[in-house]
């Protein structure tokens, strides 16, 4: 899936199958926020192919490692989003069950 | 109003009079462009987000991602939560992530939906294929996490298929009848239709279209919680003497394949509107402003000396219709913005799972995607 020229690990294009804007755009965001990245972008070569190409150029680190770190960052962010969301929902349910009758049909899970 | 603000909205100020920009902090006008979409009367301006980490390097401002900062800034606040709808504020997240969650909710969260319909008899005016399509769109109220995907070589069994039966007849002499989704009956033991072509006289048990090993209602999750469909949906109409007899098989799938598997009726977000009055708006002008706004964003407050002044009372209600900034002189008085990292997210579930569970599942799917890329790269 990785296309880099031999001996130059700093610049590479990664082809990821079965993915679309959902993952590629999020990864472009985390990659762009990484100070080691000079350039990054993604493209979908053809709308009928379930495939995206992500281009990464770095200041020196292997592009592969930087992309891996970005995925890691995205995962940690997601975990934090999930944690905060669950907490907010729990808080909301707690506050509302005390002053609302209809709270019973909210606890469906 | 601070110095910087009055400079923005006021007239010309010599660069020599500008206060020194503290390093590691963006000057006000750049920060405004970084964090707000400006909704001018002509068109929205400044709609993109600044993602590149070195965008402000020359000013000594680091725009890179620090997870700790993200953790400190990220906030969620639930505004409304019912069994099938919720609205919440998500603050401190890039649009690319918010959009990823929205896209996953719409297209990549699995549910169960009717995929195969075996029609034994249909004398109604609705053609078989239209009837099958209508049945496919009926939401099935069951947690899809209890089921597996049915792949091409699998036999339909109790772990991947739910079977419903529909047998309705309108007797001669009765008035015309309506078939509603309530009449779909769950068959926990699987299909009751026998396969014709099998000719398996040697087999002791006649073959049906499914091969369930045991009845689904013996599974703990369904024993006192029978699987049903969303009630009250009109499926067909019957005239006297007409009859429909069929069996519908539901399988697991995702919205990308067909919208019938989408777990949300809809799911959307909007950015938080921000309405700023650049100058005091008093007296008749205040009355005029309150009348202009169809979403009643503005209110009038009585000042001590009997005068009236306009206030922004309900900025969240603003629909960004831009009616209030249509005239040039009003555009100078009012700034309409949207906060780029504040999303008002709404999820309407069709009923299979409550909306708050849908969102956490969507975030998990994005995590799984990252994990897959990491393991592919390793
Ligand atoms: S943009 Fe429309 S809704 Fe918003 S404050 Fe102006 S008039 Fe009201």
């Amino acid at each position: 899936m990785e296309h880099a020229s031999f001996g130059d690990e700093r610049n590479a294009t990664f082809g990821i199958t079965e993915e679309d804007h959902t993952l590629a755009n999020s990864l472009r965001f985390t990659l762009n926020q990484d100070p080691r990245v000079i350039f990054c972008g993604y493209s979908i070569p053809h709308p009928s192919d379930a495939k995206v190409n992500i281009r990464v150029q770095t200041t020196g680190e292997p592009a592969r490692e930087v992309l891996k770190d970005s995925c890691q960052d995205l995962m940690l962010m997601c975990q934090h989003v999930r944690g905060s969301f669950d907490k907010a929902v729990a808080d909301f349910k707690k506050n509302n069950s005390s002053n609302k009758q209809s709270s019973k049909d909210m606890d469906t899970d | 109003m601070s110095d910087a603000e009055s400079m923005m909205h006021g007239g010309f100020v010599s660069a020599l009079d500008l206060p020194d920009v503290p390093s590691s902090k963006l000057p006000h006008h750049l920060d405004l462009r970084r964090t707000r979409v400006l909704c001018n009367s002509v068109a929205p301006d400044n709609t993109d987000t600044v993602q590149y980490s070195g965008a402000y390097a020359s000013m000594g401002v680091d725009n890179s991602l620090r997870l700790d900062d993200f953790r400190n800034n990220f906030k969620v606040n639930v505004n409304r939560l019912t069994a099938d709808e919720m609205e919440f504020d998500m603050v401190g997240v890039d649009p690319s992530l918010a959009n990823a969650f929205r896209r996953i909710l719409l297209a990549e969260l699995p549910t169960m939906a009717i995929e195969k319909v075996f029609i034994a008899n249909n004398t109604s005016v609705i053609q078989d294929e239209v009837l099958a399509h209508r049945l496919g769109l009926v939401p099935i109220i069951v947690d899809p996490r209890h089921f597996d995907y049915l792949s091409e070589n699998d036999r339909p069994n109790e772990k991947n298929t739910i079977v419903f039966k529909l047998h309705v007849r309108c007797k001669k002499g009765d008035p015309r009848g309506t078939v509603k989704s309530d009449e779909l009956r769950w068959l926990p033991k699987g299909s009751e239709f026998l396969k014709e072509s099998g000719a398996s006289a040697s087999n002791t048990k006649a073959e049906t279209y499914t091969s369930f090993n045991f009845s689904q209602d013996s599974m703990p999750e369904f024993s006192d919680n029978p699987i049903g469909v969303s009630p009250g949906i009109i499926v067909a109409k019957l005239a006297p003497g007409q009859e429909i007899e069929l069996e519908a098989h539901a399988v697991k799938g995702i919205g990308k394949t067909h919208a019938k598997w989408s777990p949300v009726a809809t799911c959307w977000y909007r950015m938080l509107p921000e309405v700023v009055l650049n100058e005091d708006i008093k007296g008749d002008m205040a009355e005029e402003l309150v009348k202009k706004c169809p979403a009643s964003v503005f209110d009038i407050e009585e000042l001590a000396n009997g005068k009236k002044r306009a206030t922004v009372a309900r900025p969240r209600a603003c629909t960004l219709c831009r009616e209030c900034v249509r005239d040039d002189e009003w555009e100078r008085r009012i700034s309409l913005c949207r906060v780029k990292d504040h999303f008002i997210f709404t999820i309407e579930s069709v009923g299979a799972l409550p909306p708050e569970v849908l969102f956490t599942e969507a975030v998990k799917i994005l995590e799984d995607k990252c994990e897959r890329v990491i393991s592919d790269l390793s």
Side-chain angles (χ1 to χ4, degrees), chain B residues 276-292:
Chain B
V276 181
L277 300 179
N278 296 331
E279 57 189 56
D280 277 356
I281 295 172
K282 295 208 180 105
D284 289 349
M285 280 212 318
E287 303 269 6
E288 190 189 339
L289 180 61
V290 171
K291 265 200 222 107
K292 268 176 189 283

Side-chain angles (χ1 to χ4, degrees), chain B residues 5-292:
Chain B
E5 270 174 69
S6 60
M7 257 161 5
M8 256 211 47
H9 306 301
F12 171 78
V13 177
S14 158
L16 295 175
D17 298 335
L18 289 173
D20 285 341
V21 175
S23 60
S24 86
K25 211 176 145 251
L26 280 181
H28 177 268
H29 67 287
L30 283 184
D31 207 44
L32 188 84
R33 301 216 134 231
R34 189 178 68 86
T35 57
R36 301 288 189 273
V37 178
L38 310 176
C39 301
N40 305 328
S41 64
V42 181
D45 185 18
N46 195 32
T47 49
D48 54 345
T49 49
V50 182
Q51 294 187 333
Y52 176 48
S53 62
Y56 303 114
S58 64
M59 318 197 84
V61 176
D62 181 11
N63 193 39
S64 64
L65 179 76
R66 296 275 177 272
L67 272 175
D68 289 337
D69 290 346
F70 176 77
R71 292 204 177 100
N72 291 335
N73 294 334
F74 183 76
K75 276 186 197 66
V76 178
N77 184 28
V78 180
N79 304 326
R80 200 168 70 237
L81 175 61
T82 60
D84 52 12
E85 196 197 357
M86 85 180 294
E87 185 192 272
F88 61 96
D89 281 27
M90 190 161 64
V91 193
V93 65
D94 192 79
S96 57
L97 280 181
N99 195 37
F101 298 147
R102 185 192 63 88
R103 286 173 62 97
I104 292 173
L105 276 163
L106 284 168
E108 292 183 50
L109 268 182
T111 56
M112 305 295 286
I114 290 169
E115 167 73 355
K116 283 210 169 70
V117 179
F118 299 82
I119 296 178
N121 188 11
N122 175 17
T123 51
S124 77
V125 288
I126 303 191
Q127 302 90 326
D128 292 358
E129 63 274 25
V130 179
L131 183 62
H133 178 247
R134 291 182 70 80
L135 286 168
L137 295 172
V138 173
I140 295 171
I141 312 300
V142 62
D143 189 338
R145 290 172 293 187
H146 298 313
F147 290 91
D148 300 330
Y149 287 100
L150 173 70
S151 49
E152 225 164 286
N153 306 324
D154 282 352
R155 291 276 297 141
N157 64 25
E158 71 284 348
K159 284 306 285 172
N160 57 30
T161 306
I162 305 173
V163 182
F164 292 96
K165 175 185 173 165
L166 180 72
H167 192 180
V168 281
R169 181 187 297 137
C170 184
K171 278 209 284 302
K172 282 235 165 75
D174 280 3
R176 256 172 285 166
T178 302
V179 185
K180 294 214 172 147
S181 58
D182 313 51
E183 316 223 19
L184 281 166
R185 261 205 315 111
W186 176 39
L187 297 181
K189 294 189 181 63
S191 173
E192 288 175 346
F193 285 170
L194 300 179
K195 268 194 182 166
E196 286 171 3
S197 56
S200 49
S202 54
N203 275 12
T204 42
K205 221 170 88 189
E207 227 184 318
T208 66
Y209 284 92
T210 56
S211 39
F212 279 25
N213 296 319
F214 52 85
S215 172
Q216 276 169 337
D217 53 11
S218 67
M219 288 154 93
E221 50 272 25
F222 306 128
S223 54
D224 46 20
N225 180 22
I227 301 174
V229 300
S230 203
I233 301 169
I234 296 176
V235 176
K237 299 258 182 176
L238 294 182
Q242 296 180 343
E243 180 179 358
I244 295 176
E245 184 183 4
L246 57 81
E247 217 175 72
H249 292 202
V251 299
K252 192 171 175 176
I254 57 172
K256 217 190 246 178
T257 320
H258 190 292
K260 68 185 173 187
W261 279 297
S262 186
V264 291
T266 183
C267 164
W268 79 94
Y269 58 75
R270 61 192 185 111
M271 286 181 278
L272 179 77
E274 196 180 62
V275 184
V276 181
L277 300 179
N278 296 331
E279 57 189 56
D280 277 356
I281 295 172
K282 295 208 180 105
D284 289 349
M285 280 212 318
E287 303 269 6
E288 190 189 339
L289 180 61
V290 171
K291 265 200 222 107
K292 268 176 189 283

Side-chain angles (χ1 to χ4, degrees), chain A residues 56-69:
Chain A
V56 185
Q57 296 179 196
T58 74
T59 52
E61 300 250 334
R64 159 186 293 262
E65 296 306 316
V66 174
L67 180 60
K68 256 201 269 182
D69 288 353

Side-chain angles (χ1 to χ4, degrees), chain A residues 1-2 14 16-23 25-39 50 63-65 67-86 88-90 92-93 96 100 105-109, chain B residues 50-54 62-67 70-72 74-83 86 88 90 93-97 99-101 103-104 108 145 256 347 354-357 359-361 363-364 366-374 376-378:
Chain A
M1 70 184 281
E2 182 182 358
F14 301 88
I16 305 177
T17 51
E18 300 300 324
E19 291 298 350
D20 56 12
H21 299 281
T22 307
L23 182 70
N25 198 18
S26 314
L27 276 182
R28 187 189 61 151
F29 164 67
T30 45
L31 278 166
N32 258 323
Q33 295 265 294
D34 190 323
R36 295 171 296 177
V37 173
I38 299 175
F39 170 84
R64 159 186 293 262
E65 296 306 316
L67 180 60
K68 256 201 269 182
D69 288 353
S70 286
C71 289
Q72 197 72 41
D73 279 352
L74 187 55
M75 250 167 81
L76 291 173
M77 285 164 79
C78 284
Q79 275 159 17
H80 183 70
V81 169
R82 199 145 51 90
S84 316
F85 179 82
D86 286 345
V89 169
F92 182 85
K93 282 185 177 170
N96 273 49
K100 240 198 198 168
D105 49 34
M106 289 196 309
D107 296 329
T108 38
D109 58 333
Chain B
V50 182
Q51 294 187 333
Y52 176 48
S53 62
D62 181 11
N63 193 39
S64 64
L65 179 76
R66 296 275 177 272
L67 272 175
F70 176 77
R71 292 204 177 100
N72 291 335
F74 183 76
K75 276 186 197 66
V76 178
N77 184 28
V78 180
N79 304 326
R80 200 168 70 237
L81 175 61
T82 60
M86 85 180 294
F88 61 96
M90 190 161 64
V93 65
D94 192 79
S96 57
L97 280 181
N99 195 37
F101 298 147
R103 286 173 62 97
I104 292 173
E108 292 183 50
R145 290 172 293 187
K256 217 190 246 178
I347 302 173
E356 71 273 21
V357 177
F359 186 79
T360 32
E361 289 296 310
V363 180
K364 270 189 214 156
L366 189 59
E367 279 169 49
D368 293 346
K369 284 174 183 287
C370 297
E371 216 165 73
R372 202 199 115 204
V373 175
I374 293 176
D376 278 6
L377 287 173
S378 306

Side-chain angles (χ1 to χ4, degrees), chain B residues 275 292-295 297-298 317-325 336:
Chain B
V275 184
K292 268 176 189 283
C293 176
V297 166
F298 303 102
C318 175
T319 57
L320 269 297
C321 68
R322 295 182 279 176
E323 181 63 28
C324 57
V325 294
L336 293 176

